[in-house]
Amino acid sequence: MKVAVAGIGYVGMSNAVLLAQNHKVMAVDISEERVALVNARKSPIVDAELEEFLAHKELNLTATTDAAAAYKDADFVIVATPTNYDAQTNYFDTSSVEQVILKVLEGNDTATIVVKSTIPVGFINRIRDEFDTD
């Protein structure tokens, strides 16, 4: 099984490392620095367990900034991008999640998309309608 993980912060890295123990995983991020760290088997975030796994475990994990290439052959795409909450407007900024979903659908309409980002109630139903997909 091939898995792409969009976003290599705490949620994305945890999922990527967990799944890379048994599956081919490609992590995607907009930060070239974070991608380089993952490819050098170093954690882009401070987390003792991630650092240990990256340094010493056998993982089928690579990272890239080329989202289209990562999503192209993926069976699953995990979206773990930031959705900052604005308390004044009472609004989650889901634009990064929506951008990932659009990019996945453009290049791979058979991948199952799993959203791990914090999203408002009703978001998935809205996205299904907006992009005409399950």
Side-chain angles (χ1 to χ4, degrees):
M1 176 170 64
K2 294 179 183 176
V3 180
V5 178
I8 51 178
Y10 285 100
V11 173
M13 277 305 298
S14 298
N15 280 280
V17 167
L18 174 71
L19 292 167
Q21 294 175 67
N22 294 300
H23 305 284
K24 183 176 183 179
V25 176
M26 185 166 291
V28 181
D29 203 277
I30 58 173
S31 168
E32 290 183 13
E33 181 181 353
R34 284 177 174 244
V35 166
L37 285 169
V38 172
N39 287 331
R41 308 294 280 183
K42 297 180 190 287
S43 179
I45 55 176
V46 177
D47 184 287
E49 286 81 14
L50 283 175
E51 292 169 8
E52 174 70 20
F53 270 74
L54 286 166
H56 302 291
K57 297 285 185 179
E58 186 174 325
L59 301 173
N60 193 350
L61 174 65
T62 56
T64 185
T65 57
D66 186 350
Y71 305 150
K72 181 181 177 208
D73 296 323
D75 299 301
F76 291 87
V77 177
I78 297 174
V79 184
T81 59
T83 53
N84 299 322
Y85 178 72
D86 185 336
Q88 291 188 336
T89 62
N90 197 30
Y91 174 78
F92 280 101
D93 179 3
T94 59
S95 61
S96 68
V97 175
E98 293 172 44
Q99 288 171 4
V100 170
I101 292 169
L102 181 59
K103 190 76 167 178
V104 172
L105 293 173
E106 286 175 352
N108 181 350
D109 62 358
T110 62
T112 298
I113 301 171
V114 179
V115 179
K116 295 294 289 177
S117 300
T118 304
I119 53 174
V121 172
F123 176 81
I124 297 298
N125 287 335
R126 180 178 65 80
I127 289 298
R128 283 180 177 151
D129 289 343
E130 186 176 323
F131 292 115
D132 191 30
T133 185
D134 286 333

